[in-house]
Amino acid sequence: MTTVQGVNRLQGSLPKIGIRPIIDGRRGGIRESLEEVTMEMARAVARLLSEKLRHSNGLPVECVIADTCIGGVAEAAQTAEKFAREGVGVSLSVTPSWCYPTETIDTDPHMPKAIWGFNGTERPGAVYLAAALAAHNQKGLPAFSIYGRDVQDMGDTTIPEDVQAKLLQFAKAGLAVATMRGKSYLSMGNVSMGIAGCIADESFFQRYLGMRNEYVDMSEFVRRMELGIYDKDEYARALAWTKEHCKEGADVNPPHLQRTREQKDGDWETVVKMALIARDLMIGNPKLGEIGYGEEALGHNAIAAGFQGQRAWTDFFPNGDFMEAILTSSYDWNGIREPFMLSTENDTLNAVTMLLGHLLTDAAQIFADVRTFWSPDAVKRVTGHTLEGRAAQGVIHLINSGPAALDGAGQQTVDGAPAMKPFWDITEEEVRKSLEATQWCPAVDFFRGGGFSTDFTTRGGMPVTMARINVIQGLGPVLQLAEGYTVELPDDVHDKLDQRSNPTWPTTWFVPNLTGTGAFKDVYSVMNNWGSNHSAVSYGHIGADLITLASMLRIPVCMHNVAEDRLFRPSAWAAFGASDATGADFRACDNFGPLYK
């Protein structure tokens, strides 16, 4: 198995980061003395971001530096024109000195923006930073403030670690905003089993994410299967790979409901075709044009999608679990590649949450039901086992039949510990271990059309963040998140608890980090305050990054357990209540409104 090289599989160029060197425009000695040091700040930032960041598809992040330092409105306009021509989607201004704020700031209302004001005393960039932020706030153009903790000497070209962290956090979130803009969410089917998250809220997608909505009926899968609208050569290769690497698990159905070997073999053929078709619907496939289907070859430019499945599909056809799980994983028969963001039950809001996590981490995501809180007493009563360690105060059972990426088994490692990594860091051995750790169990009885569900148990010890966007009438979208860890239970304990839910589905045992107050008073409170039946799980404690990204999109965060010193939002947020960060977030998002009006 080989790693598929980074490729932009969507229409539109990748967004770039624009670096704006800001300077005191007064000539006759002042500007001239600052030209080189200011431009070197810009070059240093560009080097940092280009070296440390990649797009989620593996391609390098490009930085565009203004042709000249910006000392006034004419040079600001020249830079804006260059940035538009170059496809810049994120704006970062840097300066070591005082400059003229309203004449030099970036006024593009849709572009995430930040200012790094050099902490020096000779020509204080901090003074410009404060004045420029005030100008941004007065004009309704929120910007992020980047200011080093320690004073540096003029001409010091190093970027302090605290400044580096903010530059990278801002840039990664800003790239996520710019990457989503103009892309599509594809609903394959409609609302599944009355789940409100399946309702594609076009206003939310358009006004908050800058995305469009696309729709196809699930009958399109039938049409493409019956008319052969897929790559036959790839299908043969995919089916052979699947038979070799995807081992069947136990059939837990009663004998009279078990499908015959012939039926199961037919199900495998169908679910592999479904995976090919779903991918082609999302991003297109030039091979379809070669067999006479030019329209189908184009796809829907979908950066995320969902499949309704239940029950209109699954009462008659094999379920979508294989399609969802293999596409959301970081590899398939073509090799190791960027995962797709595909939601089961067409839960549009969970798909968006998965997308945010993916764009921030570059890694696959776990889709799961927030199924059960198991208290220590309940576990003791049912199994006789006393929970201990991180699990001592109880665990949350995350489990769903659908798109829990195989990466979620935790067979990848970072420094010897279980992890989920960007595809370019995954080894063939890690892929082999993930496949061996996964069984494909014949679907249970309520999937009347058959199919196969992924079954694995996530390894313990992974730092993870569980998140979810919900839409509230009168309020709009809100984000909730919980940082914590995966844990492992003894096999016999896991089996007894798993049997009470569905033993054919993948399990992640999750324990949130507790604060002792509010929604994080205890594990039960986290479960009790969760706003939906679904969640998306990202590797790493990325709560602060999600909060930064949410503030760019003007989505308030209603529930989190991120320490206050990790919060990074636009400077204007402090004006809405510096001592009440959560309330200020709601007030600021309401005041400024959605990013795309």
Side-chain angles (χ1 to χ4, degrees):
M1 178 172 286
T2 58
T3 300
V4 178
Q5 297 302 310
V7 59
N8 181 14
R9 60 195 184 196
L10 296 167
Q11 301 302 313
S13 60
L14 294 171
K16 301 174 184 177
I17 300 174
I19 312 295
R20 308 174 73 252
I22 310 298
I23 200 168
D24 188 328
R26 292 173 290 184
R27 298 183 185 268
I30 296 177
R31 174 166 180 155
E32 290 84 350
S33 68
L34 294 167
E35 287 277 5
E36 180 56 29
V37 68
T38 304
M39 191 58 78
E40 180 52 35
M41 273 187 77
R43 289 192 288 259
V45 170
R47 286 193 297 269
L48 171 74
L49 300 180
S50 297
E51 290 171 2
K52 296 288 187 180
L53 298 178
R54 289 199 206 187
H55 293 284
S56 62
N57 58 21
L59 292 172
V61 169
E62 295 184 51
C63 293
V64 177
I65 301 176
D67 290 335
T68 67
C69 291
I70 302 169
V73 67
E75 289 160 324
Q78 291 166 5
T79 300
E81 192 277 332
K82 178 179 182 179
F83 284 4
R85 186 174 66 249
E86 294 282 346
V88 166
V90 183
S91 171
L92 177 59
S93 300
V94 300
T95 187
S97 69
W98 165 255
C99 315
Y100 295 177
T102 59
E103 297 180 20
T104 58
I105 62 173
D106 173 16
T107 58
D108 186 321
H110 294 154
M111 194 176 300
K113 48 185 59 64
I115 304 171
W116 174 26
F118 185 80
N119 186 358
T121 55
E122 291 88 345
R123 292 195 180 271
V127 178
Y128 171 78
L129 176 63
L133 291 171
H136 275 285
N137 296 343
Q138 189 168 336
K139 290 175 174 290
L141 300 168
F144 286 78
S145 171
I146 300 175
Y147 180 59
R149 179 173 293 275
D150 298 315
V151 173
Q152 294 178 260
D153 298 328
M154 180 64 77
D156 184 351
T157 59
T158 62
I159 304 178
E161 288 188 8
D162 62 326
V163 173
Q164 287 189 39
K166 287 188 174 181
L167 288 169
L168 292 168
Q169 186 171 341
F170 163 77
K172 191 63 174 174
L175 286 170
V177 172
T179 299
M180 289 186 288
R181 188 181 306 143
K183 307 302 189 303
S184 303
Y185 177 86
L186 175 62
S187 292
M188 296 181 287
N190 204 307
V191 176
S192 172
M193 301 182 297
I195 298 173
C198 309
I199 301 169
D201 188 326
E202 293 222 1
S203 177
F204 164 65
F205 278 93
Q206 178 182 332
R207 301 178 70 217
Y208 286 89
L209 307 179
M211 291 173 58
R212 68 170 69 212
N213 294 85
E214 290 280 285
Y215 306 86
V216 295
D217 191 89
M218 289 185 293
S219 62
E220 178 65 5
F221 282 80
V222 180
R223 184 180 80 93
R224 294 194 183 205
M225 284 189 285
E226 292 193 355
L227 297 182
I229 309 175
Y230 53 86
D231 183 341
K232 310 297 192 308
D233 293 335
E234 183 182 4
Y235 166 67
R237 187 172 70 253
L239 184 61
W241 180 90
T242 300
K243 289 180 177 180
E244 180 180 357
H245 296 289
C246 298
K247 58 185 179 184
E248 282 189 30
D251 191 337
V252 301
N253 292 296
H256 70 284
L257 291 178
Q258 292 184 7
R259 295 168 73 79
T260 66
R261 183 68 259 166
E262 183 180 7
Q263 288 175 312
K264 290 176 181 177
D265 289 342
D267 289 348
W268 278 118
E269 294 174 1
T270 298
V271 299
V272 170
K273 290 176 185 176
M274 289 170 63
L276 295 175
I277 291 168
R279 182 205 61 198
D280 292 351
L281 282 165
M282 289 181 70
I283 64 171
N285 186 345
K287 291 288 186 179
L288 304 186
E290 295 175 11
I291 59 174
Y293 293 96
E295 181 181 359
E296 290 83 350
L298 297 175
H300 291 266
N301 200 33
I303 195 171
F307 181 71
Q308 175 192 334
Q310 299 186 70
R311 287 179 45 215
W313 181 270
T314 57
D315 278 1
F316 188 66
F317 291 103
N319 64 17
D321 291 7
F322 175 83
M323 167 186 69
E324 294 157 357
I326 204 67
L327 288 178
T328 58
S329 298
S330 298
Y331 50 83
D332 59 20
W333 43 88
N334 290 320
I336 303 170
R337 46 94 178 123
E338 182 187 8
F340 292 82
M341 295 300 107
L342 177 58
S343 167
T344 198
E345 294 159 359
N346 192 33
D347 186 340
T348 67
L349 297 178
N350 219 56
V352 168
T353 313
M354 292 169 67
L355 176 59
L356 301 185
H358 173 57
L359 292 175
L360 290 173
T361 66
D362 304 320
Q365 306 291 297
I366 298 174
F367 182 113
D369 275 0
V370 186
R371 182 61 65 97
T372 310
F373 164 66
W374 278 99
S375 69
D377 290 343
V379 172
K380 182 74 171 179
R381 176 180 60 82
V382 171
T383 70
H385 176 73
T386 299
L387 293 175
E388 53 190 19
R390 282 199 176 105
Q393 296 189 53
V395 295
I396 295 176
H397 195 180
L398 302 179
I399 179 173
N400 191 291
S401 71
L406 273 59
D407 306 57
Q411 296 297 320
Q412 301 162 23
T413 60
V414 172
D415 296 329
M420 296 168 64
K421 301 189 292 190
F423 75 89
W424 57 82
D425 286 334
I426 298 173
T427 67
E428 293 188 18
E429 176 65 12
E430 289 170 332
V431 172
R432 185 188 64 78
K433 289 182 177 179
S434 295
L435 289 165
E436 289 183 352
T438 305
Q439 294 185 343
W440 299 87
C441 299
V444 292
D445 54 3
F446 53 76
F447 290 125
R448 300 172 186 173
F452 301 91
S453 298
T454 28
D455 181 24
F456 62 75
T457 303
T458 302
R459 293 176 66 193
M462 289 203 300
V464 294
T465 303
M466 180 174 78
R468 167 75 185 189
I469 289 176
N470 298 299
V471 173
I472 312 298
Q473 175 65 36
L475 176 62
V478 295
L479 174 68
Q480 56 182 169
L481 63 91
E483 294 183 338
Y485 288 87
T486 63
V487 297
E488 290 181 64
L489 303 180
D491 289 345
D492 60 331
V493 176
H494 165 85
D495 289 342
K496 288 180 180 178
L497 302 183
D498 206 34
Q499 289 289 338
R500 295 173 69 103
S501 182
N502 193 314
T504 70
W505 293 354
T507 282
T508 301
W509 297 109
F510 173 69
V511 176
N513 295 338
L514 302 177
T515 65
T517 61
F520 292 91
K521 178 178 63 176
D522 50 31
V523 180
Y524 168 80
S525 296
V526 175
M527 174 80 177
N528 198 40
N529 280 277
W530 204 251
S532 174
N533 54 311
H534 290 154
S535 71
V537 180
S538 302
Y539 174 76
H541 288 159
I542 65 163
D545 305 282
L546 282 167
I547 289 170
T548 295
L549 175 53
S551 69
M552 292 179 179
L553 300 170
R554 318 289 162 72
I555 298 174
V557 181
C558 63
M559 170 181 164
H560 72 82
N561 57 347
V562 177
E564 189 170 342
D565 62 0
R566 293 173 56 206
L567 300 181
F568 188 34
R569 293 180 169 120
S571 66
W573 266 235
F576 293 88
S579 60
D580 174 22
T582 298
D585 186 30
F586 276 84
R587 291 185 286 272
C589 289
D590 179 62
N591 178 75
F592 292 111
L595 180 58
Y596 308 100
K597 297 181 177 63

